[in-house]
Amino acid sequence: MVTDALIFEKVRIHRGDALLIALDAEVPPGDVLTIMGPSGSGKSTLLAFATGTLPRGFRAEGRVLLGGRDITALSPQERRIGMMFQEDVLFPHLSVGGNLAFGLAPDVRGRKARRDAVERALAEAGLEGMADRDPATLSGGQRARVALMRALLSAPRALALDEPFSKLDANLRAQIRDFVFDHARALGLPTLLVTHDPEDAAAAGGEVIQIAS
């Protein structure tokens, strides 16, 4: 067993009496497991179970392990799984820099250390000098990069991606996909991607599991 892997062990998710998801899988560090299927097939439900946000009305069995630790009963914050959504979910009342600072891990203390971490993230995303910008003034691609960097600043041990590229145009979509997957590989983060787009799955390059409707 890969100790830093994200592992789904005998996971079964039911909606009422119906079995919605059945999964046994291991996602090694830096790899992407893609869950594909049409709307309503349960893709996002699996992601919610992994991140500790499974809605009422669903019943789950099995375990989620991350880094050799059973995280199934932990709160979403304790699981340390970074999230990217279909919407970038940037806070409109905060600047770009404020959004990034919000994601900083608790062990980054002191004004200078926090400012330096934000500036490094902006530079890495090609957004130097934009700390004071209103998120509403950013392009779709810039907002997506900020959303990823905010997730990474929380020092996650895995990533969960819920259709994060679906609202981008084709050219930008390919660019942001590469940006996200390159970072996941470089940081050795096991990644769970849910999508209905075969191009997303192909770009991810890992195992693909198809869920029927």
Side-chain angles (χ1 to χ4, degrees), residues 46-128:
L46 175 63
L47 190 148
F49 176 63
T51 57
T53 57
L54 189 67
R56 291 184 179 181
F58 295 91
R59 176 171 52 88
E61 306 164 359
R63 301 197 302 165
V64 181
L65 297 97
L66 180 56
R69 181 188 185 194
D70 185 350
I71 64 171
T72 315
L74 298 182
S75 69
Q77 294 77 16
E78 293 174 303
R79 295 185 185 213
R80 292 181 61 185
I81 299 178
M83 283 288 306
M84 283 188 72
F85 300 94
Q86 190 174 50
E87 303 288 346
D88 52 58
V89 202
L90 299 183
F91 300 118
H93 64 288
L94 295 177
S95 65
V96 170
N99 269 276
L100 290 172
F102 181 87
L104 282 167
D107 59 351
V108 182
R109 297 187 179 93
R111 182 176 298 178
K112 184 178 186 305
R114 293 173 66 83
R115 184 176 63 248
D116 289 348
V118 167
E119 291 298 335
R120 284 194 300 270
L122 287 169
E124 191 172 341
L127 301 172
E128 297 93 333

Side-chain angles (χ1 to χ4, degrees), residues 4 30 32 41 60 80 103 105 118 136-137 189 205 213:
D4 291 325
V32 181
S41 61
R80 292 181 61 185
V118 167
T137 68
L189 299 177
S213 58

Side-chain angles (χ1 to χ4, degrees), residues 14 18 23 33 42 44 48 51 56-57 60 82 94 97 99 105 121 144 147-149 158 173 182 191 198 207 211:
H14 301 261
L23 180 66
L33 171 64
S44 294
T51 57
R56 291 184 179 181
L94 295 177
N99 269 276
L148 175 65
M149 298 315 295
R173 187 169 184 147
D182 287 350
T191 299
E207 181 182 0
I211 297 177

